[in-house]
């Protein structure tokens, strides 16, 4: 299924989890700007050094830096058949930049009640090795602190501490939410109810797959 898809939604709504499952099902690459930035920070690259203070504070990394990173990634051969873009665009300026170099076929707008989002973010654990995510209550690993997939160490991201979570949710409301109306106006937005917990994740995935199929038919 060839499709350029964007996953939109608040931090903690489940974009990464859904994108990983959709990527396995469709074969489209999952491109997470958060994962790419965290990797750059770990590796201490020039981009990582510039991005670190923003990421640690829960603020957005400047548009130009992220857009350049995304443009390079989307020009790779594996994106020719499409992609699942998770975490970008996050501002209207980024959305306009993206329009300049890539057409988007569908925007999956994931939403869930705020209480669910805060609970998901505070219990989330991430693998240092492969970036797989777990939840201490809702989807724990088989062995505490150890990734099921690659045996990597699980940790709590520094931007998942309560004060930084609050800042990220504020940033989302102010800077990212306007994208919902931006893309609705273009007729490519699909509203996805992502309020279902882990055992029912297939209900969220099913809605995403239907929206992608509808967009493919529209092409
Ligand atoms: P995420 O894993 O998507 O929640 O992203 C983690 C952090 O990376 C965000 O809080 C931002 O600091 C940064 N980040 C990720 N994507 C973007 C983007 N498109 N624009 C600016 N900053 C970003």
């Amino acid at each position: 299924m060839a499709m350029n898809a964007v996953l939109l939604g608040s931090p903690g709504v489940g974009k990464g989890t859904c994108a990983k499952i959709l990527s396995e099902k469709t074969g489209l690459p999952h491109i997470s700007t958060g994962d790419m930035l965290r990797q750059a920070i770990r590796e201490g690259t020039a981009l990582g050094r510039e991005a670190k203070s923003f990421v640690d504070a829960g603020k957005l990394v400047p548009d130009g830096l992220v857009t350049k990173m995304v443009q390079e990634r989307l020009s790779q051969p594996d994106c020719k058949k499409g992609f699942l873009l998770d975490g970008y665009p996050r501002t209207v300026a980024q959305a306009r930049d993206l329009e300049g170099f890539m057409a988007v076929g569908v925007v999956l707008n994931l939403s869930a009640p705020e209480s669910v989002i805060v609970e998901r973010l505070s219990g989330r654990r991430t693998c240092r090795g492969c970036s797989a995510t777990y939840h201490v209550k809702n989807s724990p690993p088989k062995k505490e602190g150890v990734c099921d997939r690659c045996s990597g160490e699980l940790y709590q991201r520094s931007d998942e501490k309560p004060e930084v979570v609050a800042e990220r949710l504020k940033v989302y409301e102010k800077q990212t939410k306007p994208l919902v109306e931006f893309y609705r106006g273009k007729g490519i937005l699909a509203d996805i109810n992502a309020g279902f917990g882990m055992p029912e994740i297939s209900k969220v995935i099913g809605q995403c797959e239907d929206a992608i199929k509808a967009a493919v038919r529209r092409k």
Side-chain angles (χ1 to χ4, degrees):
M1 203 157 39
M3 180 49 58
N4 295 348
V6 165
L7 289 99
L8 190 63
S10 159
V13 77
K15 297 187 298 294
T17 304
C18 289
K20 279 188 191 111
I21 298 172
L22 285 169
S23 173
E24 279 162 21
K25 289 189 138 196
T26 60
L28 297 173
H30 169 204
I31 297 168
S32 156
T33 49
D35 284 351
M36 290 167 81
L37 290 167
R38 280 185 289 278
Q39 187 181 353
I41 292 170
R42 256 197 324 271
E43 291 173 354
T45 65
L47 169 67
R49 288 197 301 275
E50 282 195 83
K52 185 174 181 349
S53 61
F54 297 99
V55 174
D56 285 349
K59 308 239 187 253
L60 294 186
V61 175
D63 290 337
L65 287 178
V66 188
T67 293
K68 184 163 172 271
M69 175 182 87
V70 170
Q71 191 167 9
E72 275 169 20
R73 180 64 187 86
L74 297 187
S75 69
Q76 300 296 310
D78 64 329
C79 294
K80 283 232 154 45
K81 60 181 188 300
F83 48 79
L84 301 160
L85 195 47
D86 159 16
Y88 183 96
R90 247 175 160 102
T91 63
V92 172
Q94 290 180 9
R96 292 197 201 287
D97 285 341
L98 177 62
E99 276 182 332
F101 61 86
M102 189 63 73
V104 173
V106 64
V107 176
L108 306 169
N109 177 37
L110 277 60
S111 58
E114 195 181 319
S115 56
V116 172
I117 285 175
V118 170
E119 206 253 344
R120 281 185 191 163
L121 278 174
S122 56
R124 186 150 77 181
R125 298 292 179 271
T126 303
C127 174
R128 280 197 203 283
C130 69
S131 307
T133 53
Y134 298 84
H135 189 280
V136 287
K137 272 215 313 264
N138 306 336
S139 60
K142 292 197 183 83
K143 190 169 168 222
E144 198 187 322
V146 180
C147 179
D148 292 347
R149 287 202 209 162
C150 76
S151 303
E153 182 200 355
L154 304 185
Y155 74 110
Q156 182 175 40
R157 282 167 39 182
S158 57
D159 64 355
E160 280 162 3
K161 310 249 151 70
E163 55 295 1
V164 187
V165 163
E167 177 63 21
R168 287 168 64 206
L169 294 176
K170 254 199 330 222
V171 166
Y172 169 75
E173 285 294 322
K174 195 159 164 240
Q175 293 182 266
T176 307
K177 215 169 173 187
L179 285 177
V180 173
E181 293 317 314
F182 177 88
Y183 282 123
R184 201 186 299 285
K186 295 190 181 289
I188 56 171
L189 192 89
D191 285 305
I192 308 289
N193 175 359
F196 300 101
M198 208 43 197
E200 296 176 312
I201 186 85
S202 60
K203 290 191 182 167
V204 184
I205 299 299
Q207 296 171 67
C208 293
E209 287 182 308
D210 288 348
I212 292 173
K213 281 181 201 147
V216 169
R217 281 196 298 272
R218 272 201 310 268
K219 271 211 287 193

